[in-house]
Amino acid sequence: MKIATVGLSVRYPGAHEPALTDVSVEVRAGESVAVVGPNGSGKTTLLRVLVGVLPPTEGRVLIDDGPIVARSRRELARLIGVVPQREDQLFPLKVEEAVLFGRYPHLSALGLPTAADRAAVGAALVRCDVAHLVGRRIATLSGGEWQRVRVARALAQEPRLLVLDEATTNLDIRHEMEVFELVTDLVRTQGIGAVIVTHQVNLAARFADRVIVMDQGQVRGAGAPADVLSEAVLEQVFRWPVAMTQWDGAPQLVPLRQPSANRTANGRITEEKGM
Ligand code: ADP
């Protein structure tokens, strides 16, 4: 499977600036693509268009070279598993019910879960390290536990493309690394495609096959991490000085402190004169 955008532009009603301008990207089965960029650079908007929930103002989304608009919602839900950035907990569900929701595009006409549905839910619960939470109501979970249940729900769907919007926010180091390892493993062993929006530039550099750098609604760079994540690009996009180093052959960013002239002996930043 391949999903591609061609010349996407999005302008939200009433917005002064477009949220996306002429964005053409593609993701193929068997590769993981990280999307990085500052707040407001258009990452979530790109995902929303990519999964078919937001129609672009201009441009097209193609799945295997056919228009996404030709696919039914149910068909799209089978192909694409999404972990959105924000979602309200509308129903007082138990963990296993929330994950079973991921199976809805597979459920029979009667809506009754089959053995295959139960097996997919069980496997997803284990892979996301939340099997011990079965029986708990989702409203009682910690931020990190809920986050992992949401990833489990997307996995239970057994999608061909997994789309994660800041899905490791709230997770401690182990659970964050486990999500990155899990997604990378699914990409390698099951040949799915993955799109990962993250603020963890250094993890994106180590885990992703390709990185897309967004800024102000435009793609500023796309390609292998070593080709794209340069000091010049990252400083320009994040508007903060950085130094680059390497770990395991991947570029790694170190954000620099403010120039020492603005800092007191204890490291605090002093206010600029005249402010
Ligand atoms: P990111 O995910 O990189 O933080 P977003 O895609 O959420 O960026 O936002 C891109 C731009 O579009 C921002 O300027 C944001 O304020 C604006 N925007 C996002 N959603 C809406 C909306 N529903 N209505 C109006 N403007 C929006």
Side-chain angles (χ1 to χ4, degrees):
M1 174 177 159
K2 181 180 85 173
I3 189 161
T5 71
V6 185
L8 284 189
S9 295
V10 169
R11 187 182 283 275
Y12 287 107
H16 291 299
E17 301 291 329
L20 293 179
T21 305
D22 197 18
V23 170
S24 298
V25 296
E26 70 172 46
V27 183
R28 291 169 179 275
E31 71 168 355
S32 60
V33 176
V35 183
V36 302
N39 298 132
S41 56
K43 304 181 298 294
T44 297
T45 303
L46 174 59
L47 292 195
R48 295 179 69 211
V49 178
L50 203 60
V51 304
V53 299
L54 178 69
T57 318
E58 280 171 52
R60 288 173 300 152
V61 180
L62 303 172
I63 295 182
D64 292 335
D65 298 322
I68 194 171
V69 287
R71 308 267 184 158
S72 71
R73 293 206 77 79
R74 192 175 166 95
E75 208 181 338
L76 286 180
R78 281 191 191 195
L79 286 174
I80 307 175
V82 184
V83 181
Q85 191 179 126
R86 281 182 287 269
E87 88 187 84
D88 297 324
Q89 295 183 358
L90 293 176
F91 306 106
L93 295 177
K94 291 188 174 161
V95 165
E96 59 275 27
E97 294 165 333
V99 176
L100 186 59
F101 254 68
R103 293 296 297 176
Y104 91 90
H106 295 276
L107 293 183
S108 65
L110 288 174
L112 295 175
T114 61
D117 294 320
R118 298 261 172 228
V121 168
L125 289 169
V126 169
R127 293 210 80 163
C128 295
D129 194 20
V130 288
H132 60 291
L133 299 175
V134 159
R136 288 268 298 274
R137 299 225 171 257
I138 56 176
T140 70
L141 303 178
S142 73
E145 289 166 341
W146 170 230
Q147 199 70 318
R148 285 181 283 132
V149 167
R150 298 193 323 128
V151 177
R153 184 185 54 199
L155 280 190
Q157 207 173 320
E158 298 177 318
R160 300 307 304 148
L161 177 72
L162 196 55
V163 174
L164 308 166
D165 195 355
E166 295 184 25
T168 64
T169 310
N170 286 329
L171 298 188
D172 61 33
I173 290 173
R174 173 167 80 92
H175 287 116
E176 174 161 66
M177 289 300 286
E178 282 179 355
V179 170
F180 274 94
E181 294 285 6
L182 170 62
V183 173
T184 308
D185 186 55
L186 291 170
V187 168
R188 297 278 171 275
T189 61
Q190 296 183 25
I192 68 167
V195 183
I196 307 157
V197 167
T198 180
H199 286 299
Q200 295 283 19
V201 177
N202 288 340
L203 294 183
R206 287 167 67 195
F207 282 97
D209 298 310
R210 288 193 300 117
V211 180
I212 295 169
V213 182
M214 304 278 305
D215 189 28
Q216 298 182 332
Q218 296 182 8
V219 175
R220 301 292 182 198
D227 296 336
V228 173
L229 298 176
S230 68
E231 187 180 301
V233 165
L234 293 172
E235 284 193 347
Q236 189 190 22
V237 163
F238 288 105
R239 296 166 190 85
W240 194 265
V242 302
M244 298 305 292
T245 178
Q246 284 211 348
W247 185 265
D248 276 350
Q252 295 287 287
L253 158 166
V254 180
L256 299 181
R257 297 284 308 269
Q258 291 275 22
S260 55
N262 292 336
R263 237 186 286 143
T264 62
N266 66 8
R268 292 215 179 91
I269 312 264
T270 57
E271 284 185 17
E272 300 263 353
K273 280 204 178 76
M275 285 185 71

